Structure formats: structure tokens, C-alpha cells
Amino acid sequence: MPSKTTHVDQFLLIHSARADNWREITTLADAWAANRGERTALEAAIAEVAPAEEYHAYPGGRLLSALAERIATNDAGGAAKLARRISNGLLSHSYRGRPSEWDVHDEMSVTDVPDIMPPGTGEAGGRRPYFEVLFVNSQPAVRWEAFAAEIRRLRRPEDGFIYEPVLVGSFEDAFCAAALNPAIIAVVLAEGFPYRSRHDAPVLRSVLDPLGEAEGPDMSALRLARGLKRIRPELDVYLLSDRQVEKIAGDPAADAVRRVFYAVEEPLELHLAILEGVQARYETPFFDNLKKYARRPIGTFHALPIARGKSVFKSDWIRDMGEFYGLNLFLAESSATTGGLDSLLEPTGTIKRSQELAARAFGADHVFFVTNGTSTSNKMAVQALLAPGDIAVVDRNCHKSHHYGMVLTGAQPYYVEAFPMTEYSMYGAVPLASIKRALLALRAEGRLDRLKLLDLTNCTFDGHMYNVRRVMEECLAIKPDLIFLWDEAWSGFARFSPFLRPRTAMGAAADIEDWLRDPASVSAYEKQHADLGKNPSDEALLAARLIPDPRLVRLRVYQTNSTHKSMSAIRQGSMLLVKDVDFHNVEAQFHEAVFTHASTSPNQQLIASLDVARRQMELDGYGLVMNAIEIALKIRRAINEHPLISKYFRVLGADEMIPAEYRQSGFKDYLAPGATWATAVKAMKEDEFYLDPTRMTLVCGTAGFDGTQFKGLLANEYDIQLNKTSRNSVLLQSNINNTRSDIAHLIRVLVEICHGIEKRLADGGEGERAAFAARVKSLMTDVPDLPNFSHFHEVYRGDAGRTTPEGDMRAAFFNAYDASVCEYVPLIGAECDRRLKDGPEMVSANFVIPYPPGFPIMVPGQVLTQETIDFMRKLDVKEIHGYEKARGLKLVKPDAVAAKAKRQSKAR
Ligand SMILES: Cc1ncc(COP(=O)(O)O)c(C=O)c1O
């Protein structure tokens, strides 16, 4: 294979590369037909794609053989025609719904070909959903075509879905097919296949080896089933055995298998099981019922006049709203919780069932649907898991919902800091050493029992993914019942990529669960315990990769995700996932949290979209996420390697987003020379932080734009919407909806902007060039230092530890309501400077949160330092929540607070 097989994106791009490869084959075939090219070039291009083509149903053996035959018989025109058909079919997916696409002879009609796909016969107007089933078998390859024909003969008009078989004959091929072909959503394993592929294609090994699926003593169908579920947990795996099926079915390793069949049994049973397995993922209990509800002639004597649309469509004045949204929206609007619509506050029917299906899909034990965004999911989790006086170690840079959650519950935050990325005015993530130090400090203060929760953001806004498993294991080694809340607002989709899943809360929790079950884990713990000796020092504990005692660990993991941010849910659709062995102890609190935060009129369409988003990800998520990653890698390359664009813009690589000390594997970036798929997998497994490739920080300060300005330019002039901004960068996010046309549009726009800059610099003379250089320098180098959290004022540290920084933020928050204990000090002016120098200390009454960067520069009760004031003064953003420029900084007066407290206690 050529050297490109070893490039990092070989695997990640192989899927979309297929379409490109077939375009290239078409071009070569056209050239040959027009006497402009060589037949050998065409043959070589086809030979290169041949091994991976076996992992896809289309174009399949018959079309490929026909193409080879036309080439062999020098039918250049026929070959070019067929190559183009295949290429177009792959691009448009037309083969999924049009049987004639599978037909070797274009002119033949469907009925002439008994063994090709029947036309779609699903719901009126729509075709039946299409998928592919991988059959791993030990029959000789010459029999596969006939075998596939037998499978197709099982199709019945009443089947809800239609599938094509993909046949392979080895462990390696099975693994590669499941990894490379996202249309495969069910697998049938017939025992007796060998490990090695019949192809000696290095691409197979370059995919398999880094995933840890090298040849070993156990090459059984059950090992393959487990391996497949590890990369794609959503797959249904069926096992056909002619041995003692009863014994296999009872083997704990058979957990990965949906059903075991005795091989000679009726194949129709298998066919029905496959369809039923897909139906189980396709089912959307709430949405299905909502559709039924919308079809019924319902009269309402209830609130919500908009329901059924009568107040809309009959009105001269708001009919356009009805026309815009369509009738179904109004037919599906209801305030009813009966008639199959269930209640979000106390679900017992379809919502309950939909939540259960979501739990299955996301690897959780329980899921709560939330209809007011992850802002609410976070507050619910914090409220349910913490009581007044409990301590939580919290990333100070986390979303404001966590901070407000702490205020609501009266818990005491112990803020830990993310590493700063000062040059881009943003933060990274919290180093594990800082987290461990916090836990050890609380232990030294005898306050570890008060610590309940570690609350972190994963991935961060800018794409830093924690080594989630390592963080949890090391923390559990210090406090075995610590609860973890991972805010994965941005990365819910990561569940569906084997590449990102280990770095998600649920992925890591599943890995830890496996580890806890392994008897070797106790020995590993005991060995480390003995090595560390009695009462190891904090230094020794910080230096070691701590192993928890599996016998003591209580695995308690929570995740929140904005389903609307990365999957097909309507805005505000969010989920709260639970994987907690002690959930029964907090279940009542969670119900209270639902009652506290959920609207009593939750939006039906939002709930339905959560249900549907889950369905899509379970059936198609693997390919969609692969697409998002592919798009991101293409954008990264297109920008950074473009001779003009890269003069003014660049997307930051992992090496610029993550300091070297947190990239233990030495991984630099996806595009760095020498980067391979294997080095990326190693980094994903080992590094303390890993960059989610779909989150791209595009530096625009070097083109003379600040982030807000550049975001506005793209939105207003070019119809491109971006994610967040920093002083000198913007964040691009690739998603499951992006296409390659989006990349083309973005690149065209960047080229146009660069041309504009070049022209301005060329036409504007020295003055323009000097002004541009000064602007770039100001944006890129005159950046303010990012201030750390200072400390809570003594008056709010009532029962805090002597050396630990937690505090009673809630008391400070409510003091801000009392004007008699508050004051204002202008940010700019002598008074502020004097107070910093001579006191009395200034203590913030509010959260002050500038956008960007969006983290609280001040929290209630925090003492203001020179650093904080300097940062505030340098901020050039318009939006600063909690700060009124006209009045100045709102402060609490600790003396007045203390005096008031004294008065109140006397009065009692
Ligand atoms: C890390 C993080 N958590 C939570 C949220 C809030 O999510 P939602 O917009 O779904 O309320 C955001 C929003 O940007 C976020 O960035």
C-alpha cells in the first residue's frame, strides 16, 4: 500500500475517501475511453480499492465483476459508464431505494432480475429504511454470492426495513467491515472463521492493531462479538453455532450477543430477529405516540389554545405562523399528559420508556429528559447531589449553571483552575495534579467526608477532553465514594465514536466497571499499596498513578449533555445520564430536582426530538460522527495547508491547545508530519488531555480581526455561523450535519477575505501595513493575563478548612440583595486603586461573567485582587453579565455583613 495508508487520517477519512476514490476511477475510465489514459492506471486504481470494497454491499461482487470484465474485454466505453453509475450511486445513496442500481445491465427492468432489491414498500411516499448486515462465515468465498441470494430471498413485503448482506470470512475482515462501513448495524457470526484476512492489506492492520485487536489465543466468535461491541456498542450481534448452543448462551461472554441460534435452524427466524433488533432501536415511544395523538380528532377544553391550530389557521392575523410551521406542529401541541402523552414530571408511560431507551443508547442506567437545556440539567444534578455545607471540587471555568447550582444548594465550592492559554484568552482544562492536590488538602484538614462531588467540563468549549477514566480512578483511590458530574454539554455525540468514547463519562465508567470485575485489579491495588508503604507523602501520591481499592469503590457517575448541541434535538433538548451504584439513595432528591426545575408545561416537540435524536444516533450515529470528524480534519488541512489562507489564519493543533506536559504520548497534531492513526489512538489512550478534532480554534487575530468582529463578518456578509469567540480566535465546530459543500463554502470565503486583506495592504501603502501590523500585535501579544480565583473573604469562610479555599457562596449571593450591606466602586478610578492598595478589601457581591470568555471573573464573596481588576480593565467585550458600567463594581461590605449577623443573633 502507498505511504498514505499510515497517515493519521487513513482510518478517519477512509469512509469519505471512498467517494473520492470512485470519482478518480471514473475519471481514469473516461480518460481510457477517450484514448487519453492507460488501462493499467484504471486497473491499479480499482485494485487499490478492492479490499475495502468487500466491506460494503454496494457496488458488490456482481457490479465489480462486470466492471472488471468490461475492462478485460477492452470495453472502455462500457467500463466508463458503469464506473460513473457506481460513483453516482455512492454519492446519492440511490442504490438504497432503487433496485435498478444493482443491476449490471442498465437497461434491464426490475422484474427481469429476481434477486435484486425489491422496491421500497414502506409507509406511503417513503422508502423503507435501508441498512447492511455483516455475515461472518467460514464458507469458501465462491459460495458467498449464492449465500447472499438466499438471504435476500427471506425478504417479505411486510418487513419494516430492508437490508443487504455483506459477507466476510475472517476475524480481521469482520472487524474492519464494522469499523469502516457505518451502514452495518447488525452482525451475524457463524463459528469457525479464521483470524487472518485473505487480503494482505496493511490498511487492515493499521486499523486493527491500534484498537488492540491483534491475533491472540482466543479467536472465538465470542471474542469477536466482544471486540465489535467495544467499538460499536449499538450493534446487534447474533451468533450461529452448531455446537452446544445452550452452553454458549450461558457463558458470561455471551452478554455481547443479542441471540444465539443453532446454526441449522430456520433462517427466517434469524431474518426476523435482525429486523426486530433494528425495530427495537427504531422505536421512539413518545414520538410514535405523539404522531398518533396528532392524527386523532381531539377536542380540547384545556389550556393551550394554539393546540390543533384552530386559533392560528382561522385568524387573519397570525395565519402566516401556521403556514410557516405547518399543521402538524399544532396538531402535536398539547398540554395533556394522558392519552399516551405521559408526564415529564412523573413519567410512567411513553416518556419513561423513551428515557429507558436513551439510557440503553448512551450506556447509562437512567436518563432524565430535560427541556430547558443543560443549564437546567446541571442545576438539577448539583441540587440532587449536594446539600448545604457539602463541598464540591469545581472547575472555576465551568458553565455558570454549576456556580448557580452551588448557590441554590448552599454547597461550598472548592475552585480548581484550568491551565491558562493566555495568548488566546481562554482556558484549557483542570490538570489532574490540581484535582488530587485539592482532595489531599481536604484530607489533611479532615474534611474529606464533607467532599461529595467533583464537577468538571468534558470536553471544554474549546475541545479539551479529559482522561476521564484516569481522573476518576485516581480520585477514587483517595475518596472511594466520590461522585463525578461530567458536563458533556458539547460532547454527547462522542458516545458514538470508538475514538472519542473512552474519553466520555459513560465510556470511562463502563471501562472502570469492567476493571472492578477483574480479579487482577485487587492484586494491582495491593501491589501499589505495598509499594507506596504506610502513610505515603502527598508528593508520593501526586507522583503515582493511583489505583483505587476495587473492594471499596462506589462508582457514581453523572453526565449532562446538550443533545441539541451535537445531535438532532430541538434547541434546549438536554439529557441527564446516571450511572450510580447508589442511585437508590439519591433517587428521591432527583425527583425533587425535577419538580424544582422542570416546567409543568414541558414542550412536547422537544421531548419527541430527544426520543428521535436517540433513535438516529443508535442507528446512524457511528457514521454521522465519523462524518463530523472527517469534515473537521479536512477543514484543518484545507486551512493550514492553503498557501494564501495560512498566511493570515490557522487552526490550532493539539500541540498549541495542550501544553506538552499533558501530552505524555508526544502526540503533536493530526496534521503533524509522522502522525499516524496509531499515534492518535495512543494519545487518546494515554494523554492527560486530548483535543476533540471537531472543535477547531481558528486564529483570526493574525488577519487583524478580533473574534467578535470576525464572527460578525462571517455571519453578516457570508451567511456562516460560528461558535464562540475569544480575543483573537473563533471556534469552528463540525457537526453531524456538515457536508463537504460547507467546507468548500468556508474555504472560498476565507480565500476572498485573504484577497481583501492582500489588496488593502498592497493599495494602502506603508501606513496601512503599519496599522495592520499594530492591530495584529495588539490582538496577538497585548493580551491580558487570565486571573485565577483569589479566595473567599473570611466572613464567608465560617467553617472552611484552615488551608482549603472553599466558602459559603450562597450567603454572599443573598447579601447582595440587601442594599444596606452593599456598595459600588467604579472600576476605573482612584478609589478602586486605593482600595486595592490600602483596603478595606473589595468583595464581589455578584457573579461577574464576561462573554467571551464566559467564566466568572468574580463570584459572590470573592476578594478582588489587582489581577482581577487588571483583567476587567483590559476587557474589550460588550457583554459582561453582573457588571453595570455606570455604577461600577457591586461589592458587599464585610463589616456591615458581620454587624448585621451580630444584630440578628442578638435579636434571637
Ligand atoms: C459547558 C457547558 N455546559 C452547559 C451549557 C448550557 O447548555 P444549554 O445551552 O443546553 O443550556 C453550556 C452552553 O454553552 C456549556 O458550554
Side-chain angles (χ1 to χ4, degrees):
M1 272 281 182
S3 59
K4 67 180 179 184
T5 54
T6 58
H7 199 272
V8 63
D9 46 21
Q10 172 64 26
F11 168 59
L12 293 171
L13 291 183
I14 207 162
H15 183 55
S16 67
R18 241 188 122 208
D20 292 346
N21 289 339
W22 277 99
R23 274 271 157 255
E24 175 65 12
I25 288 170
T26 307
T27 309
L28 291 170
D30 282 343
W32 177 45
N35 282 324
R36 280 184 285 102
E38 293 292 323
R39 175 177 134 170
T40 47
L42 174 62
E43 284 173 331
I46 293 175
E48 187 160 331
V49 300
E53 282 306 317
E54 289 196 5
Y55 306 141
H56 301 84
Y58 184 84
R62 274 190 310 175
L63 287 178
L64 285 176
S65 304
L67 183 61
E69 197 182 305
R70 289 180 192 185
I71 296 171
T73 56
N74 276 325
D75 175 7
K81 208 166 145 196
L82 187 51
R84 180 165 311 105
R85 258 186 62 206
I86 292 173
S87 176
N88 289 343
L90 285 173
L91 275 182
S92 64
H93 288 170
S94 52
Y95 62 89
R96 296 183 172 189
R98 224 173 24 237
S100 59
E101 294 290 338
W102 299 77
D103 187 352
V104 175
H105 309 288
D106 324 355
E107 63 283 357
M108 265 176 122
S109 78
V110 179
T111 46
D112 295 330
V113 191
D115 214 11
I116 55 172
M117 280 197 347
T121 53
E123 287 199 15
R127 63 177 169 82
R128 288 185 288 184
Y130 168 94
F131 62 96
E132 296 179 9
V133 179
L134 181 67
F135 286 84
V136 190
N137 70 105
S138 55
Q139 296 192 27
V142 287
R143 303 239 314 258
W144 289 358
E145 198 55 56
F147 183 27
E150 275 171 37
I151 294 165
R152 288 188 201 101
R153 264 196 284 278
L154 295 168
R155 290 173 181 160
R156 301 161 323 137
E158 57 269 46
D159 291 345
F161 315 100
I162 189 145
Y163 66 87
E164 270 291 317
V166 173
L167 280 88
V168 295
S170 73
F171 189 107
E172 279 187 334
D173 287 306
F175 213 82
C176 284
L180 298 181
N181 180 356
I184 291 173
I185 57 173
V187 182
V188 180
L189 308 176
E191 286 186 312
F193 46 82
Y195 176 80
R196 286 270 164 211
S197 166
R198 63 201 176 107
H199 302 291
D200 188 25
V203 62
L204 302 191
R205 247 125 266 150
S206 73
V207 170
L208 282 172
D209 293 349
L211 290 173
E213 291 300 334
E215 191 164 7
D218 175 12
M219 285 299 113
S220 65
L222 283 183
R223 150 114 198 258
L224 177 56
R226 279 204 311 275
L228 292 174
K229 292 288 270 190
R230 203 162 57 76
I231 56 163
R232 294 188 55 187
E234 72 282 4
L235 286 177
D236 284 338
V237 181
Y238 300 92
L239 182 63
L240 303 185
S241 176
D242 49 14
R243 293 185 296 134
Q244 292 166 298
V245 282
E246 308 76 9
K247 216 166 146 206
I248 294 175
D251 185 332
D255 285 355
V257 173
R258 189 165 195 272
R259 245 183 100 171
V260 180
F261 286 94
Y262 188 52
V264 294
E265 263 169 9
E266 180 54 43
L268 183 62
E269 289 301 317
L270 174 63
H271 171 74
L272 294 176
I274 290 170
L275 294 178
E276 187 196 62
V278 173
Q279 176 59 39
R281 282 173 276 170
Y282 189 80
E283 184 197 357
T284 35
F286 183 78
F287 176 55
D288 297 345
N289 233 300
L290 189 63
K291 283 193 292 184
K292 263 193 224 149
Y293 175 90
R295 284 198 284 264
R296 280 163 46 197
I298 287 171
T300 61
F301 293 95
H302 200 329
L304 202 72
I306 209 169
R308 320 301 295 177
K310 283 182 242 171
S311 75
V312 177
F313 288 98
K314 284 189 186 158
S315 164
D316 277 351
W317 303 107
I318 63 168
R319 194 182 308 122
D320 61 331
M321 177 191 177
E323 285 159 4
F324 180 74
Y325 286 111
L327 181 61
N328 273 341
L329 176 69
F330 302 96
L331 294 179
E333 276 291 316
S334 170
S335 16
T337 52
T338 50
L341 290 182
D342 210 359
S343 156
L344 186 66
L345 281 94
E346 207 130 26
T348 53
T350 51
I351 293 181
K352 180 168 185 281
R353 178 95 189 100
S354 295
Q355 291 183 154
E356 284 164 2
L357 296 187
R360 173 188 72 193
F362 286 89
D365 296 335
H366 308 278
V367 166
F368 291 92
F369 285 174
V370 179
T371 60
N372 192 22
T374 298
S375 305
T376 296
S377 305
N378 287 336
K379 281 180 274 198
M380 283 168 54
V382 168
Q383 173 178 321
L385 296 170
L386 295 172
D390 285 347
I391 299 171
V393 172
V394 190
D395 172 7
R396 204 248 323 193
N397 187 33
C398 64
H399 187 259
K400 63 187 166 79
S401 47
H402 300 268
H403 304 278
Y404 281 103
M406 301 291 154
V407 168
L408 287 175
T409 61
Q412 303 196 357
Y414 182 138
Y415 284 122
V416 283
E417 297 288 346
F419 65 81
M421 297 170 63
T422 311
E423 61 274 48
Y424 304 110
S425 284
M426 57 171 87
Y427 277 98
V430 184
L432 178 54
S434 308
I435 298 167
K436 282 167 73 178
R437 253 186 231 113
L439 267 59
L440 293 172
L442 286 167
R443 188 168 74 169
E445 288 276 349
R447 293 167 69 77
L448 210 47
D449 61 323
R450 292 268 296 271
L451 170 67
K452 293 284 155 51
L453 182 72
L454 174 65
D455 187 351
L456 296 173
T457 308
N458 180 60
C459 67
T460 64
F461 220 130
D462 302 292
H464 303 91
M465 300 189 94
Y466 283 82
N467 191 328
V468 179
R469 175 173 179 177
R470 180 167 175 191
V471 169
M472 294 204 284
E473 284 181 351
E474 293 218 36
C475 289
L476 290 169
I478 301 171
K479 181 169 172 63
D481 60 350
L482 185 63
I483 309 173
F484 301 90
L485 172 58
W486 295 95
D487 177 346
E488 298 188 349
W490 291 103
S491 52
F493 76 105
R495 164 90 195 154
F496 299 91
S497 162
F499 192 55
L500 303 177
R501 188 183 315 111
R503 290 199 173 238
T504 64
M506 292 303 134
D511 290 343
I512 294 178
E513 228 175 19
D514 283 349
W515 180 84
L516 290 173
R517 276 197 287 261
D518 184 348
S521 308
V522 174
S523 329
Y525 162 76
E526 278 175 347
K527 177 170 183 323
Q528 182 175 69
H529 189 61
D531 289 350
L532 285 169
K534 252 201 180 140
N535 301 323
S537 67
D538 282 2
E539 277 58 45
L541 293 172
L542 285 167
R545 192 209 191 288
L546 297 178
I547 300 174
D549 184 345
R551 294 157 300 195
L552 300 183
V553 165
R554 308 296 303 164
L555 191 60
R556 313 190 62 185
V557 186
Y558 292 78
Q559 184 252 36
T560 54
N561 77 77
S562 294
T563 320
H564 68 99
K565 288 196 203 296
S566 70
M567 293 167 268
S568 298
I570 294 174
R571 196 162 160 85
Q572 293 193 4
S574 170
M575 295 190 197
L576 196 173
L577 313 187
V578 181
K579 194 167 180 69
D580 177 357
V581 290
D582 290 327
F583 184 62
H584 52 277
N585 291 333
V586 287
E587 195 170 354
Q589 284 96 293
F590 269 90
H591 291 304
E592 286 298 337
V594 172
F595 296 148
T596 310
H597 295 277
S599 162
T600 39
S601 313
N603 185 290
Q604 310 283 15
Q605 323 319 323
L606 252 153
I607 302 169
S609 78
L610 287 168
D611 207 8
V612 170
R614 185 275 310 155
R615 177 212 283 175
Q616 180 183 39
M617 294 313 280
E618 254 192 325
L619 290 163
D620 210 11
Y622 180 76
L624 291 169
V625 176
M626 204 190 264
N627 176 61
I629 296 176
E630 285 174 3
I631 297 273
L633 292 175
K634 282 184 166 40
I635 293 177
R636 285 170 179 274
R637 171 160 299 164
I639 291 177
N640 287 7
E641 294 182 359
H642 192 286
L644 177 61
I645 301 177
S646 61
K647 263 174 89 176
Y648 298 101
F649 296 96
R650 73 177 196 288
V651 179
L652 297 182
D655 47 350
E656 290 164 292
M657 295 292 293
I658 302 169
E661 63 196 285
Y662 306 122
R663 283 180 286 112
Q664 288 82 348
S665 75
F667 181 68
K668 285 200 165 59
D669 186 42
Y670 306 96
L671 306 184
T676 64
W677 161 236
T679 59
V681 172
K682 189 167 183 321
M684 187 271 286
K685 285 191 180 148
E686 293 175 9
D687 287 357
E688 179 160 352
F689 299 117
Y690 187 75
L691 183 66
D692 171 357
T694 68
R695 303 187 77 75
M696 295 160 276
T697 298
L698 176 74
V699 179
C700 56
T702 39
F705 299 106
D706 68 51
T708 315
Q709 194 185 11
F710 190 60
K711 182 175 173 169
L713 173 74
L714 291 195
N716 302 333
E717 308 267 321
Y718 299 103
D719 290 333
I720 292 178
Q721 294 293 345
L722 299 179
N723 203 313
K724 82 172 245 285
T725 61
S726 83
R727 179 175 169 81
N728 48 24
S729 72
V730 293
L731 180 74
L732 308 179
Q733 177 190 350
S734 71
N735 228 321
I736 61 168
N737 62 330
N738 284 118
T739 63
R740 289 171 75 181
S741 309
D742 298 335
I743 309 179
H745 182 45
L746 175 69
I747 297 303
R748 276 309 322 147
V749 165
L750 292 179
V751 166
E752 198 177 311
I753 292 171
C754 290
H755 278 311
I757 299 172
E758 298 252 292
K759 183 161 172 11
R760 225 176 56 230
L761 294 181
D763 297 350
E766 215 31 67
E768 182 66 38
R769 286 191 285 278
F772 180 78
R775 170 88 177 136
V776 171
K777 179 173 175 301
S778 148
L779 288 169
M780 299 303 298
T781 53
D782 303 341
V783 285
D785 278 339
L786 296 170
N788 280 346
F789 173 74
S790 53
H791 55 273
F792 287 108
H793 189 274
E794 267 320 302
V795 82
Y796 299 118
R797 284 180 37 80
D799 71 338
R802 216 171 20 86
T803 57
T804 50
E806 67 277 16
D808 180 5
M809 194 159 68
R810 182 168 66 172
F813 180 89
F814 286 108
N815 283 156
Y817 286 17
D818 179 355
S820 73
V821 299
C822 291
E823 61 177 335
Y824 287 88
V825 171
L827 175 64
I828 315 282
E831 192 191 346
C832 185
D833 292 328
R834 187 185 53 71
R835 292 278 296 264
L836 279 174
K837 201 157 146 266
D838 305 327
E841 284 181 321
M842 293 188 286
V843 180
S844 184
N846 289 342
F847 285 109
V848 176
I849 306 178
Y851 276 88
F855 64 89
I857 296 294
M858 303 170 200
V859 304
Q862 178 184 340
V863 173
L864 305 189
T865 59
Q866 186 75 49
E867 258 189 314
T868 324
I869 297 298
D870 286 349
F871 184 83
M872 281 290 287
R873 286 177 175 171
K874 280 193 191 170
L875 266 181
D876 50 7
V877 299
K878 281 201 208 92
E879 218 179 307
I880 306 179
H881 299 176
Y883 170 65
E884 282 179 82
K885 200 170 171 192
R887 303 181 81 180
L889 301 161
K890 183 171 183 183
L891 307 173
V892 280
K893 297 186 279 188
D895 288 350
V897 170
K900 184 178 163 188
K902 214 167 171 185
R903 275 198 311 277
Q904 282 174 340
S905 87
K906 247 195 200 153
R908 266 186 243 121

